[in-house]
Amino acid sequence: MSANIENVDVVVVGGGPGGSTAATLLAKRGHRVVLLEKETFPRYQIGESLLPSTVHGIGRMLGVTAQLEEASFMVKRGGSFRWGTNPVPWNFLFAVAPELSGPTSYAYQVERMKFDEILLRNAAACGVDVRENSSVTEVIGDDERVRGVRYTSADGVLHEIQATFVVDASGNRSRIHQGVGGSRIYSDFFQNIALFGYFEGGKRLPAPDSGNILCAAFDEGWMWYIPLSDTLTSVGAVISREHAAKLQGDQEQALLGFVDRCEIVKGFLSDATRVTEGTYGEIRTRKDYSYTNSTFHRPGMVLVGDAACFIDPVFSTGVHLATYAGLLAARSINSVLDGSLPEDRVFEEFEGRYRREYRVFYEFLSAFYDMQSNEESYFWKARKVTNFNATDLEAFVSLVGGVHSGEQAFTNADQLVGEFRESSGALADAVERTGSMQTESGERMHHLFGTPVVREVMQEMNNIQVRGVQGASARELPLLEGGLVPAGDGLSWVAAEEAK
């Protein structure tokens, strides 16, 4: 049976935060956008902890600020960490960082079923043709470019959509990403497995930190403790692969066993009960979730979110990277469709910015793991940075750059060393501020903010927040050498000289 064929400007595969963001910002420029989602929303998804740039930057650009406020999500002012040998938790507050201080120095802990549906329904309200229960079966292309997709609708009918661009936001388990070519490279550093479930009646940190994510280290790894409401808590254990055998058999007993070995989480769950029914009643696992694709783009197709890359979840970067990539993809496609810039140039900007964001978070998280003082435990021994018979910085750059994996974007280690050395001087103000904090937290914050990538981590998140709040009045400098800058409305790219 031949497929039903139609023509549109853009097909977005996947209705999660990355796909909804890209589709909405494309539709806002008047383009015809079809979004294909294989499931019917609301649907379950892991990754409940957000960052301020998503809430106040992307959220405002999408027009969902009021809806997010009305949803009464748990307010998150930072993170609390029982990291290292000291039993007293210490806090990471968004307001401490100069870039994130002010009225937008908070984010949300969200039930992704609710959050993702808000973004998807908003996409439809902005003119996106949202088609749920529609499973993409094939990417259509030739040697020159990708030209569309084939999908099966809820009634089993095969359809073909021809489009100028395909955006793959279909997640980490889909194979659609293979349409861009290249390969998926898994991290040698973050080879972890997550085991998680949900509990009712767990305790909370004292106010105003009661909405913080709590991350607590124990011998085999660390645990997350995310308050989703006054009573519901997401609890997960992240362990290294050498302990995978402990997940065989009864997974509930395995999770509870990890809880028993993590004193602070054990105490918080002392009066709690595990949810055993409904969507939150299942014990779930995730593995091989730290990776990057060797390419994010080919003519006619681009990867965003988990289809492109993902890093260890300790700092809640998943939704941030997905929505940020959705924004970058929309700017790039809008610029091509309106004829203002050539495809190769805008996607050089897309890939450069996206990889930069991934890289600085990768190094930031690697440095954060190195803060664990109990290095005799099995987990932390496995995460020590390898000595490549070079300087510490060069060895570190080689590791986080993925040179050993053949990652083409990071093969110039000398260049990265230079970048990191240059960026370290710009951290003086942040280090000075955090160094004046009280005792234990102050010392640890000084250590954390003393890493030479924190300024880079926060710079682009701050740009996104400012763009969301100030709109067309926001002006940005090029992030990449000789690169582009956002247009006045933030929805496309312009040459830096044209933005003056």
Side-chain angles (χ1 to χ4, degrees):
M1 182 174 62
S2 62
N4 299 308
I5 302 176
E6 60 183 311
N7 290 274
V8 301
D9 295 316
V10 185
V11 174
V12 177
V13 184
S20 291
T21 295
T24 300
L25 299 181
L26 288 164
K28 282 180 176 288
R29 277 291 185 90
H31 303 304
R32 186 181 178 197
V33 183
V34 172
L35 186 153
L36 303 174
E37 166 55 46
K38 68 178 181 180
E39 299 185 49
T40 300
F41 277 41
R43 56 87 176 96
Y44 174 81
Q45 185 58 272
I46 187 64
E48 302 100 341
S49 199
L50 305 185
L51 296 180
S53 59
T54 302
V55 174
H56 306 290
I58 302 295
R60 287 178 185 272
M61 294 181 71
L62 296 176
V64 296
T65 301
Q67 294 179 64
L68 295 179
E69 292 175 353
E70 292 166 1
S72 299
F73 293 128
M74 181 72 72
V75 173
K76 168 189 174 183
R77 302 192 183 279
S80 296
F81 298 89
R82 217 296 296 155
W83 214 254
T85 56
N86 192 298
V88 179
W90 53 278
N91 292 332
F92 172 85
L93 301 177
F94 296 127
V96 168
E99 294 85 356
L100 301 179
S101 61
T104 61
S105 59
Y106 69 89
Y108 295 120
Q109 313 283 19
V110 300
E111 293 182 66
R112 287 285 301 278
M113 292 177 66
K114 298 177 181 179
F115 175 76
D116 290 12
E117 185 167 32
I118 288 173
L119 267 56
L120 186 65
R121 302 306 172 212
N122 177 70
C126 290
V128 177
D129 183 351
V130 175
R131 304 178 188 178
E132 297 171 83
N133 210 358
S134 297
S135 182
V136 173
T137 57
E138 183 182 359
V139 174
I140 305 169
D142 51 39
D143 291 341
E144 183 179 349
R145 65 185 295 113
V146 168
R147 302 190 183 277
V149 299
R150 292 189 179 93
Y151 77 96
T152 303
S153 55
D155 55 6
V157 176
L158 180 65
H159 300 260
E160 179 176 314
I161 301 182
Q162 298 177 354
T164 307
F165 286 98
V166 173
V167 177
D168 178 16
S170 59
N172 66 333
R173 297 183 177 182
S174 168
R175 296 184 178 180
I176 303 301
H177 68 89
Q178 295 173 351
V180 302
S183 59
R184 181 164 287 184
I185 302 165
Y186 290 92
S187 169
D188 287 337
F189 189 73
F190 296 110
Q191 291 191 351
N192 303 331
I193 302 173
L195 177 70
F196 53 96
Y198 296 82
F199 292 78
E200 279 284 345
K203 297 175 184 177
R204 298 287 178 257
L205 290 163
D209 302 325
S210 54
N212 283 9
I213 181 175
L214 170 65
C215 297
F218 67 106
D219 222 24
E220 292 96 335
W222 62 276
M223 300 203 72
W224 75 67
Y225 189 94
I226 303 175
L228 297 178
S229 71
D230 289 339
T231 61
L232 181 65
T233 307
S234 171
V235 179
V238 178
I239 63 171
S240 54
R241 276 189 170 184
E242 56 261 37
H243 298 290
K246 296 181 180 181
L247 304 184
Q248 303 299 319
D250 191 326
Q251 292 195 330
E252 178 173 26
Q253 290 305 311
L255 178 59
L256 295 178
F258 292 134
V259 170
D260 280 342
R261 291 193 289 283
C262 187
E263 288 298 322
I264 188 169
V265 173
K266 179 180 179 180
F268 272 45
L269 293 177
S270 60
D271 298 323
T273 57
R274 190 178 75 80
V275 178
T276 57
E277 297 180 352
T279 301
Y280 295 130
E282 181 181 345
I283 299 286
R284 295 177 167 92
T285 61
R286 292 287 188 274
K287 62 180 180 179
D288 291 337
Y289 54 67
S290 295
Y291 56 84
T292 179
N293 276 50
S294 59
T295 181
F296 293 164
H297 164 259
R298 66 163 289 198
M301 184 173 177
V302 61
L303 309 180
V304 305
D306 291 1
C309 57
F310 187 74
I311 319 177
D312 184 276
V314 68
F315 258 100
S316 314
T317 57
V319 175
H320 163 69
L321 285 172
T323 55
Y324 176 59
L327 169 63
L328 296 181
R331 285 174 176 171
S332 301
I333 293 172
N334 282 334
S335 299
V336 177
L337 293 180
D338 68 18
S340 62
L341 287 166
E343 184 172 350
D344 58 350
R345 187 175 185 192
V346 296
F347 280 102
E348 180 181 357
E349 186 74 24
F350 168 88
E351 188 132 354
R353 286 188 180 233
Y354 197 5
R355 288 198 181 280
R356 176 189 179 279
E357 195 77 352
Y358 180 88
R359 171 176 59 82
V360 295
F361 269 112
Y362 191 113
E363 186 185 348
F364 181 46
L365 294 173
S366 300
F368 186 75
Y369 268 94
D370 197 43
M371 291 178 66
Q372 166 68 14
S373 57
N374 183 18
E375 294 184 348
E376 293 308 306
S377 72
Y378 298 116
F379 183 79
W380 305 104
K381 275 185 178 180
R383 262 127 203 88
K384 287 185 177 179
V385 177
T386 303
N387 188 339
F388 286 44
N389 295 318
T391 67
D392 289 345
L393 182 56
E394 288 166 345
F396 195 62
V397 169
S398 295
L399 177 67
V400 303
V403 176
H404 57 290
S405 303
E407 172 62 48
Q408 295 300 308
F410 297 147
T411 53
N412 191 341
D414 291 339
Q415 178 182 341
L416 290 179
V417 169
E419 291 177 6
F420 296 153
R421 282 178 176 151
E422 289 175 7
S423 68
S424 63
L427 282 169
D429 290 342
V431 172
E432 186 67 28
R433 290 177 186 238
T434 57
S436 64
M437 294 177 64
Q438 57 187 352
T439 58
E440 180 73 15
S441 288
E443 293 175 5
R444 292 180 179 276
M445 289 293 286
H446 189 281
H447 183 134
L448 180 61
F449 276 83
T451 59
V453 293
V454 176
R455 176 71 66 178
E456 288 190 70
V457 168
M458 294 182 175
Q459 178 184 350
E460 183 67 343
M461 290 198 296
N462 182 59
N463 286 341
I464 295 170
Q465 285 181 239
V466 170
R467 169 69 58 184
V469 174
Q470 296 184 359
S473 64
R475 290 291 181 265
E476 299 176 31
L477 296 174
L479 198 64
L480 309 174
E481 184 176 356
L484 304 171
V485 297
D489 62 359
L491 300 184
S492 61
W493 300 114
V494 296
E497 56 271 19
E498 297 177 14
K500 296 179 180 179

